[in-house]
Amino acid sequence: MTTATIEEKNRLQDFYVSIRKALASLEARLDEYAQEVQTRKEYMWSAQRDMDHLEKIAVRQTIEQTLDSADALKVQQKKLLKLMRSPYFGRFDFQRDGEESKLPIYIGVHHFRDEAARETLVYDWRAPISSMFYDFETGPAYYTAPMGEVRGRLTLKRQMRIRDSALEFVLESGVNIVDDVLQEELSRASNDEGMKNIVATIQRDQNAIIRNDDAHTLIIQGVAGSGKTSIALHRIAYLLYRFKDTLSSDDILIISPNRVFADYIGNVLPELGEEQVAEIGMEDLAAELLDHQYRFQTFFEQTSILLEKDDEALKARISAKASVDFLRQIGTYVEHVEASSFQAAEWRTGRKIVPDWFFAETWQKHRGNTLTERIALVLKAAESQIGIHYNYDLLIEERQSLREAIRAMVRKITLRQAYQGLFDWMGQPELFKPVGGKLEYADVFPLIHLKMRLEGINNPRSRVKHLLIDEMQDYTPVQYAVLGRLFTCRKTVLGDATQSVNPYTSSTAEQISQSLQSATSVKLTKSYRSSWEIMQFALAISPNPELEAMRRRGEPPRVVSCQRAAQMVAHLRNEIEAFKQSDHHSLAIIAKTQKQAARLHKSLAQADLEVRLLDAGSVGFSNGVIVCTAYLAKGLEFDRVIVADVSADNYRTEMDRNLLYVACTRAMHRLTLYSVGEPSPLLPQAPSDAQVA
């Protein structure tokens, strides 16, 4: 046992003495609060006949205040119990310039101070001083405190793992030891159902993004496996810590691609000691903005149709509505509609006149309001005009006549008529093609944007102070225009242009920067999720010269060719049985389309295998064996991935290439691809480990 290990074990024992005392103190105070509440309730019950109304109110308020205090203590208790299992993960000794003493700083998920000893034993990873653990090795270092920059030297740096109160290892080095621990962590199988916090392995470039509190809109372009979603969530946790007086969990909204992904990331903030934040999908947001008055396709349905039908007209409609030029055309069309939506006319009552130009100017002045609000504002302005110029108050019947006259000036047109008229005005009526009474998904946000410009919109989420948008590449310029008008707050936007499952609607970081004001863009180019062999295989499908793969060695991917689909299913059954005997916890079987996924699931379920199918209605993520599409697997990661039927007939287009890349980069440790017939030409040519079954 090394000297460092002995020292840290002794320190850990001392820490547990302190934290047990703190827990005992908390429990005693909670008991006191419980007894106090019980006593006051008993008093109210026994003396209620003799108490007046004010005394009853006072006792109830005292009980509520005591319960609130108890709830606050329970939050502290929960954090201390978490610290009991794993109190900290790192230490560095910091010597300030001009001082001889060295201050040992221990870093953990939560702050802990021994009040009796008046000593901070663990610093929250988000504290300013903690940033040095991520940003510096031994030697000169500094951090920015509220009072200014503090400089000095790191004389020692250690990383350790404490699990279930036991010290598992201690690493001490003058170089970046975080990398060593990261390699070890990445090689482990996934134990938890969902995304984990990464506070012990945050890298320097990631730390800079997390602690960026200056950017109004931060756009994170991150390659597959770069941890961009985890970093974005840690950034939210940091901002909640940094601005705790003005920002709460209730002020944050996450726009996520689907409910499975939302559940997958749902544990991260609670693990970091923060309350869960609200989450919404784009379709749900659209339904809210349209007051649930329109039926429309989902993005999932649109993507499924694109994959199942080679419909060139549909591709053309989607591409046209996903262009920056289409956004400009909507703006020009709004001016056209505005110019013809109001026919101003002179109005008289007796010798008192309101000229037509006054109505026209006032109508234009209140653009952006709803039709009803606009008529009311013009009416109010006209009444005021008469009052100022003629010193006269309209009679009830005159006021009614004026209101009816203003309404007669309005050219009544519904939002749907206005939207359909857009394509007639463009000379391309074929671009508007509802299906079965439903709007195509590509029409939904252009319709909302038009509604915003013509009528105004009620924002049900106006209190949001920070918006997080994931999978940014799947949203169009029109969608960003809507989000920009709807949410003027700070934003974190993240995604990867190479992982678009629908190339006809994809946006780049540069296009998003143009859509959102005051945007700062950063890149994450190092990929941590997949082994070196898996990542090189994926890069052969979709090259990305910017991606730097982590050199964590593993098994090479296998491409297995089968003559018939039944043979592939038999292999999948064997793969599932082998997975159950392994130390891995998650296996994804990824199909191209939802119909293919459903057929695979049915075949496997008939063999009495415990397999779960993810579809558009799925709401939760779990370990074990799942069957899904690449679209629903986006953002998720699995110990093992099998990509089903990668034949030349099934994967042949550029859209298919993106899907293959997404599917392969979900794998952490093992990747296998099965082909029914000749493998797709999109795969690396003639892999040496290909098999024929």
Side-chain angles (χ1 to χ4, degrees), residues 293-294 333-334 336-343 363 369-372 374-375 407-425 447 450-451 453-456:
Q293 293 181 355
Y294 292 83
Y333 176 68
V334 166
H336 164 74
V337 172
E338 280 288 345
S340 58
S341 67
F342 190 77
Q343 285 298 119
W363 183 259
N369 291 286
T370 66
L371 183 63
T372 302
R374 215 166 172 185
I375 290 171
R407 284 176 176 167
M409 298 177 201
V410 178
R411 181 191 169 204
K412 295 179 177 61
I413 181 173
T414 67
L415 178 62
R416 187 185 179 96
Q417 288 170 337
Y419 184 66
Q420 185 169 355
L422 164 65
F423 300 100
D424 294 331
W425 173 82
L447 178 70
L450 189 65
K451 178 179 173 68
R453 296 290 302 272
L454 290 177
E455 301 177 357

Side-chain angles (χ1 to χ4, degrees), residues 1 55 75 92 121 140 158 173 192 223 247 279 297 314 375 391 404 429 533 556 563 566 572 585 589 595 608 618 633:
M1 189 178 294
E55 186 179 0
V75 171
F92 61 87
L121 300 183
R158 288 174 181 164
S173 176
D192 302 320
V223 298
L247 187 68
E279 171 274 333
Q297 287 177 336
L314 173 60
I375 290 171
N391 193 25
E404 291 174 358
E533 288 78 7
Q563 294 180 352
L572 294 181
H585 301 280
I589 301 173
K595 288 182 179 178
D608 293 328
S618 299

Side-chain angles (χ1 to χ4, degrees), residues 321-332:
K321 296 165 191 174
S323 67
V324 175
D325 183 60
F326 183 59
L327 181 60
R328 295 194 193 99
Q329 286 179 309
I330 293 176
T332 306

Side-chain angles (χ1 to χ4, degrees), residues 96 127-129 131 142-151 242:
R96 293 191 183 195
I129 196 170
S131 65
Y142 67 89
Y143 69 97
T144 303
M147 72 288 293
E149 195 173 86
V150 180
R151 290 190 169 270
R242 172 75 174 79

Side-chain angles (χ1 to χ4, degrees), residues 146 155 163 498 577:
T155 60
R163 184 168 293 164
T498 65
E577 292 299 334

